[in-house]
Structure formats: structure tokens, C-alpha cells
Amino acid sequence: LYALSTMIVSVSIGFAMLRYRLWDADFVINRGLIYGALTGALGLIFFSGFFLLQRVLEALTGGRQPTLAAVAATAIVTVSFNPVRRRLRRFVDGRFYGIQIDYTPAPAHAIPPGGATRTHFGAYADLQLIGRGGMAEVYRAGDPKLNRAVAIKILSSALAVDSDFRKRFEREAQTVGALKHPNIVQLLNFGEADGTPYMVMEFIDGPDLGGYLKARGRLTFAQALPLITSIASALDYAHAQGLVHRDIKPSNVMLDGARPVLTDFGIAKIIGGHTRYTQTGGVLGTLDYIAPEQIQGAQDIDGRADVYSFGVMVYQMLTGGLPFKHHNAGALLISHLTQPPPDAREIAPDLSRETANAVRRAMAKNPDERFA
């Protein structure tokens, strides 16, 4: 009877999670393990520190100093809180959930406020700042030789002295320069000026897909299909060249009229290549679109990781929202690892079953279950 009642409780909880989609239970368990262990560890640190300091003070002063010992022990716990929490989070995330990436936001590089930080660079003049990322700035400029507007991507001066960032930036230029496809950004030139690496690309006078979706809301299947087909064609071509993008998301797709253009190969991986300048702290990929195998730190990432991210993006295009939504980064990663992808027809009932199933298959947790 005891075994039967225990089984009924387990089955009931499982049924409730499936029926009412209580996927946050996994995150609650995750944080319960972390903060439960944190409480125990800090309690142990406090009491050990308290009694040890009390003995030391007693030996030094010849009397008992419980108040001073308590204050000192509290200070030790306060200083220890964040390091202990980070270690416990990494242990629980890795041991119980297979999360092998550090999703703590990396510190931002100091960037001067206001408008453009450059007006001239090398032979280029009248620079206008149009974008700024974690490692580079992008300017619009006129090319004196080509007599056309171009986009110049310049490695941040704060990072130009770092050999790892220089190698990563140069590898991106070499990677993009080898790709020739109408839906992949065209590299026109790259080099170095005043000790700073740069690359010159075609200038696309349009919004990115993220801004377009934010302004338009969800797209109908007929509106989305030409964009989906073109982006898929670009990914097919890149994969055929042995290249995995690893950061597919709407902000990395620029719109040149009706032509979508895939950009930003900064963390791309060459399959079978020996160079691994793909990460210098932080996360590979963007958490809203990251594939489960990237979260688990798999070494054999292939094009199916792009298929997963592409599936998330297509879901967003067709429904107007993301399949997994969480304000907490840890909860979002656990959703990518464990939560079944939703059916797009729940939000967009006009979609066909075949379309919804294709999107769900693209977001399968196991790469073997996705499209090859």
C-alpha cells in the first residue's frame, strides 16, 4: 500500500505537469537545490568562522569576544556569498541539468556615450555609426574606390590589443570572404589601419528582421515563406561549405528590400577546422535561440544546431512570440533542454499541420530528431 500510494503521488505530479504545462517546476527544483546547499554552506562557514575567531580572540585578548567574533564571521559570509553561490550554481547546473556554459552576463566594455566615436578611418571619411556590438563597431561610409556606400566593421580599440580577439575578428573576415551567396553578406575588403583590424562589407539600407517583426507583429505564412526560404538557402550553402553559424537570430538577418541577408559570423565554427577562436568568456549563441547541445557544451556541434535556432526564429516569425519565455537565464536554458516545443497553431490556427510539425521538428531536443 505504501509503494502504491507513493507511485500514485508521483504519477499525479507527472500528470499535472504534462496537463497544465508546469515546466517551471524543473527550475524551482534547480534553484531549491542551489539555495538549499547555499544556506547550508554559508551556515557552516558562519559557525566555523565564529567559533574559530572566538578562540583566536580569546587567546589574543585573554577574554571572550563573542560580539566581535560574530561580526567578523558575518563579514566572511557576506564576502563569500556570491563566490559560493556561483560555484554551487555551476555544480548543480552541470551535474543535474547538463548546463556547461556560464550564462552570467559578461561585463560590458566601456563605450563613450553619444554619437559616432569616429569620423575618419584609414582612407574612409564621413563615418556614421550604425551599430555597435560586444567586440566591434559598424559604420556607414563612402568607399572612394568603389564610389558606393559600404559598411565598415572595426574591432573595438579596447580589444584591438588582445591577440585572441584579433584572431577571432580576422577569422570572421576570412570566413565571410570565402562565402558567395545572395543571402549572405558580401565582404568587399579587410585589412588593418592604425593598428586596428577592419572589414568592409556591402551596405544594406534596411532594418534587421528583429526590428521588422517588432514593428509588424507576426507574419502570415505567405509573407514569411519567401524570407524563410532565402535564409534556409543561405544556411544550406554555409553548411555545404563546412560552416556552422551558431548564432542564428532575427537581429543577424538584415533586410535589403525583400532580400534577407545573413550576417555576423563572429562565433561561426568551421567543421573539421583546427582554429577555435569562438569564445572568450560568455556564451556561444543567444539564449533565446540557443540549441540544447550548445548549452551542454558539446564538442561536435554541426548544422543541426543552426536548424534548432532557425526553428525558433521561424516560430517567432509565424506566431509573433518566442516559444520559451523567461526573465531568468537559468530558467530559459532549462526550458531549451527539457520543455517540449509548443505547437505554433495554438497561436496561429491558420497554419497547416505540416508547417507546425516542421517547426516543432526543427526544435527537437535531440539533434538526431531534427532535419539533417
Side-chain angles (χ1 to χ4, degrees), residues 15-23:
F15 176 81
M17 291 179 67
L18 291 171
R19 174 65 180 83
Y20 297 102
R21 300 179 183 180
L22 306 178
W23 306 111

Side-chain angles (χ1 to χ4, degrees), residues 294-324:
Q294 290 176 271
I295 297 172
Q296 295 173 327
Q299 297 299 312
D300 55 345
I301 299 293
D302 58 27
R304 292 172 296 180
D306 284 346
V307 171
Y308 182 92
S309 302
F310 184 53
V312 175
M313 187 171 74
V314 171
Y315 179 94
Q316 183 180 6
M317 294 168 68
L318 296 174
T319 67
L322 291 165
F324 310 116

Side-chain angles (χ1 to χ4, degrees), residues 50-88:
F50 174 76
F51 288 112
L52 179 62
L53 288 169
Q54 192 176 36
R55 291 291 182 87
V56 171
L57 291 170
E58 185 177 353
L60 292 175
T61 63
R64 300 174 65 84
Q65 297 288 339
T67 303
L68 185 57
V71 171
T74 302
I76 292 173
V77 168
T78 302
V79 172
S80 304
F81 180 82
N82 280 325
V84 172
R85 181 179 61 174
R86 281 194 294 268
R87 287 181 178 273
L88 286 172

